[in-house]
Every structure is written in C-alpha cells, then in structure tokens.
Amino acid sequence: MDIKKLQSLVIDALEDVKAQDIRVYDTVHLTGLFDRIAIASGTSNRQTKALAASVRDKVKENGGNILSVEGEDTGEWVLVDMGDMVVHIMQPAIRAYYRLEEIWGDKEVKFGAAKRLSTQTAAEEAAPKKVSRHLTTSQALKAEEETPKKAPARKKPVKTDGAKKAVGKTIKVAPSKSSVPPKKAAAPKKAPAKKPAVKRAPAKTKAAE
C-alpha cells in the first residue's frame, strides 16, 4: 500500500475514536525499518485499546497488512506495526515519560497535507480521465472570453406614493376639447308686447256746463 494512503487511513482511524495530540513523523532519513511513525494519546486503557483496534480494522478493510499488535493486555502503551508505518498509542503519563517525539520527531508530517495528497491521489485514480474532443484549455478560455455577455435586465420603475394611492381606484380623465360637443347658442329673448294706449275722454270744463 502507498505510504501516503496508509498514513491517511491511520489518521482517520485515530480521529474516529477521538485520539488526542496525534503526531506523524517521516523517519526515512533515520532508519530503514519503517517510513512513518505515528504517536497518539488515549485517556484510559479502554480508549487506547479501542484506538488500536480502529487502526487495525481500518487498514485491513482497505487491503493493508498488520504485522503485530502489542500491549493490548495492559492498555497503557499499545503498538500497531504495519511494516512501513508504526503507531504508538500511549496514555499521557507514559508518553510524557518516554518522549518518543524527541527520538523520531525530526521531520513532522502535517495532517492537512498528508490527508489531502492521499485523497487527491485516490480521486484521480478512481475518476476517469476527461479528454477534450474539440477544444484545448486555451481555446476554451478564449471562446468563453469572446462569447457576448447578456445585457443586464432593465429595472422596473419604482412607483411613487402618488402612484400607489391611485392603484385600485377609478381615475377620471378630463375629456379633450375635441370630444366635447359645442354648446347651443342661446335663443334671443322676445321683447314684451306693448299695451295699447287707452284714450281718455277730455274732462268737461265749467264753461261748457
């Protein structure tokens, strides 16, 4: 099994059971016995045994080999030997006493980089390679740049308060001048008829009498 995939599996198995203070070191330049060493802490005998079992099962499920598991009887310090990688699972007091980091911790492997490289490699192997049938990457980018962009949609005019008040009400529109019928001319008023003058008899004078 590839060492990057193996160390990723070990880290996942330790994190699944809530291991504390996980450290992974590259030991290629220090010894020819193994390429990686992992150190982790468990808070109790039960947890250290569970961590060792998690590592063992995870590696076996993915086709890895487990050479030996030591220390499960006490649970204070459990060692899982996988050939290319060795995992030390220790209780905090034992770990502080033996200080394995000072012996093997010359070159630490960061979790993010280790897991990311392993995941990326596995994904590349599993996914089919995509081959462009027509355009190269540069041609595709050029075509994308030359594609005309859609004009932004016009915003609808915002209604004012006056317009809002008019909504739902009947608005009377004054008729235009051309549509108003012309007013009829007023008929001329008739002059009042003159009364005939009444002729009065002349008054009799005293001489005539």
Side-chain angles (χ1 to χ4, degrees):
M1 182 183 291
D2 180 63
I3 188 62
K4 293 178 181 178
K5 183 178 180 180
L6 181 59
Q7 69 186 10
S8 179
L9 291 173
V10 169
I11 293 170
D12 287 341
L14 293 172
E15 289 180 343
D16 287 345
V17 193
K18 309 298 182 184
Q20 297 180 357
D21 196 15
I22 305 171
R23 294 285 186 272
V24 179
Y25 300 103
D26 187 343
T27 58
V28 174
H29 61 295
L30 297 176
T31 180
L33 298 176
F34 44 83
D35 297 337
R36 296 287 188 276
I37 183 172
I39 305 171
S41 296
T43 56
S44 64
N45 294 2
R46 184 176 180 179
Q47 188 181 15
T48 55
K49 293 178 183 179
L51 288 167
S54 178
V55 172
R56 179 187 60 223
D57 296 342
K58 192 90 169 179
V59 172
K60 281 185 176 181
E61 287 173 2
N62 289 272
N65 296 323
I66 303 296
L67 300 182
S68 65
V69 179
E70 301 176 7
E72 284 186 301
D73 52 343
T74 61
E76 294 180 352
W77 180 354
V78 185
L79 183 146
V80 183
D81 187 358
M82 293 165 285
D84 292 337
M85 187 170 184
V86 178
V87 182
H88 295 271
I89 305 168
M90 315 166 74
Q91 292 190 21
I94 302 296
R95 183 173 179 174
Y97 180 80
Y98 285 98
R99 298 181 183 178
L100 296 182
E101 290 89 345
E102 295 181 3
I103 302 173
W104 305 107
D106 185 35
K107 191 176 181 181
E108 185 174 1
V109 178
K110 298 299 181 182
F111 289 1
K115 295 182 72 174
R116 184 170 60 251
L117 288 173
S118 177
T119 305
Q120 183 177 358
T121 303
E124 289 176 355
E125 292 177 355
K129 294 183 180 179
K130 295 181 181 179
V131 180
S132 177
R133 297 181 179 178
H134 303 289
L135 299 176
T136 62
T137 304
S138 59
Q139 290 174 339
L141 291 173
K142 187 176 180 181
E144 185 178 352
E145 291 177 357
E146 293 177 353
T147 303
K149 297 181 179 180
K150 294 182 180 179
R154 294 182 179 179
K155 295 182 178 180
K156 295 182 180 180
V158 180
K159 296 181 179 180
T160 59
D161 294 339
K164 289 181 180 178
K165 292 179 180 179
V167 175
K169 295 183 180 180
T170 304
I171 302 174
K172 294 182 180 180
V173 181
S176 59
K177 293 182 179 179
S178 59
S179 63
V180 178
K183 293 182 179 180
K184 294 182 180 181
K189 294 181 180 181
K190 294 181 179 180
K194 294 183 179 180
K195 294 180 180 181
V198 180
K199 294 182 178 181
R200 294 180 179 181
K204 294 181 179 182
T205 59
K206 291 179 178 185
E209 292 178 355

